[in-house]
Amino acid sequence: MRQSGRPRKASVDDAILSAVAALVVEHGYTRVTIDDVVNRAGTNKPAFYRRFRNLADTVPHLLARSHGTDDDIDTGSLLGDLNEVQRRQLLLFTDPVVVRGFAGWLADVDGHPDGGAAFLQGYLAPRRAFTRVILDRAVARGEIPDRADPAWIADLLTGPLLLRVVLPGLPPADEELAAKTVEAALTSLGWVRP
Amino acid sequence: MRQSGRPRKASVDDAILSAVAALVVEHGYTRVTIDDVVNRAGTNKPAFYRRFRNLADTVPHLLARSHGTDDDIDTGSLLGDLNEVQRRQLLLFTDPVVVRGFAGWLADVDGHPDGGAAFLQGYLAPRRAFTRVILDRAVARGEIPDRADPAWIADLLTGPLLLRVVLPGLPPADEELAAKTVEAALTSLGWVRP
């Protein structure tokens, strides 16, 4: 997703992403300008545009920096893995940057398909691919039958939490909701409590 | 949600909502102006502002006109009711107005809490309240135990479909996904196939 020719300083990347995060929380995504970002980060527009195409393009990097892509989860059991996936998704969907930034960012990438593609490739696809890894391991351990649909399980784990951050007026996602999604996923997968 | 003193012509309401729908599909929500809407509708701005505060305020009316609030569903069984809820939600989340308009509208109401409140009161809350009606009837018929959590069931039925329309790059919701949500809801509710 980066376009630079010459080496870049990681500290500038970090300063830019931290500035975006702070400004989104303070003002909401739609009111953040690149001028604000580079001023806050103590850098300049050319430095920004060597790293990112636009504000939307910072978002997958920002999310990956704060929340990872979950591809290091391996607790040794399906229950443990799904609980850990949801513990992290709960942190993601209650992160003030996501709460204050999500709607504006969505509208922004809606008009810039590149931003959506960067999000898909850099953030969403790896998370969804890792659901398959978790389920394949559970099949290999004999925890569930080999007929799992990873896309459905990813939709089931993420959809209800996403809904709470996206639709106006609903309470934020909480641990109870996350636990219910894990329970529903386990049942849907044919998992039987050992 | 309407602010008029004098009687309004329903035909003007309809013309405005139809104009909003057409323009959202053609240009995307964020590029639609009130000028465009009143020109397309063959009316004028005062007529618009007697009916709606702003563009975001038209959305709950538009959705209710096209998709209802589902409070007329009563098939006589829990399975039938949930299938019908999801059949309609699938129409909602694949409606071109929603696909092209949802992200922009979300960002818009994000900056106008009134728009979010109107959506909650006029559209979202009645749909979620009706989940309780459906589950209470199922309990009364002896189809499920009396420990259902209607908010969770609403999140479970809507979240995965919403995710497909909200996140960039995913395939649209389809009948298979809708059927899986119904199955997961029935299992979660302790329903046993008769």
Side-chain angles (χ1 to χ4, degrees), chain A residues 71-91:
Chain A
D71 53 2
D72 59 336
I73 294 174
D74 189 3
T75 66
S77 76
L78 178 60
L79 178 62
D81 285 358
L82 295 186
N83 278 334
E84 180 60 13
V85 167
Q86 290 308 75
R87 190 187 68 79
R88 296 187 190 188
Q89 287 217 97
L90 193 55
L91 291 175

Side-chain angles (χ1 to χ4, degrees), chain A residues 75-179:
Chain A
T75 66
S77 76
L78 178 60
L79 178 62
D81 285 358
L82 295 186
N83 278 334
E84 180 60 13
V85 167
Q86 290 308 75
R87 190 187 68 79
R88 296 187 190 188
Q89 287 217 97
L90 193 55
L91 291 175
L92 171 67
F93 287 116
T94 54
D95 180 339
V97 176
V98 174
V99 173
R100 292 283 289 145
F102 201 67
W105 168 77
L106 278 178
D108 200 8
V109 298
D110 210 36
H112 296 91
D114 281 0
F119 173 78
L120 183 68
Q121 288 160 27
Y123 195 71
L124 186 59
R127 286 184 90 102
R128 289 176 73 88
F130 195 66
T131 307
R132 179 181 294 274
V133 173
I134 289 174
L135 300 186
D136 284 350
R137 288 196 310 231
V139 170
R141 282 189 298 253
E143 289 189 274
I144 54 172
D146 186 11
R147 55 173 168 74
D149 176 351
W152 155 242
I153 297 302
D155 292 342
L156 174 58
L157 292 174
T158 302
L161 275 54
L162 177 75
L163 176 145
R164 295 292 189 90
V165 81
V166 162
L167 293 184
L170 297 182
D174 57 18
E175 289 182 11
E176 189 189 339
L177 179 62

Side-chain angles (χ1 to χ4, degrees), chain B residues 119-186:
Chain B
F119 173 78
L120 183 68
Q121 288 160 26
Y123 196 71
L124 186 59
R127 287 185 90 101
R128 289 176 74 88
F130 196 66
T131 308
R132 179 181 293 274
V133 173
I134 289 174
L135 300 186
D136 284 349
R137 287 195 309 230
V139 170
R141 282 189 298 253
E143 289 190 274
I144 54 172
D146 187 11
R147 54 171 170 76
D149 175 351
W152 155 243
I153 298 302
D155 292 343
L156 174 58
L157 292 174
T158 302
L161 275 53
L162 178 76
L163 177 145
R164 295 291 190 91
V165 81
V166 162
L167 293 184
L170 296 183
D174 57 17
E175 289 181 11
E176 190 189 337
L177 179 62
K180 282 175 183 282
T181 60
V182 170
E183 195 182 304
L186 290 169

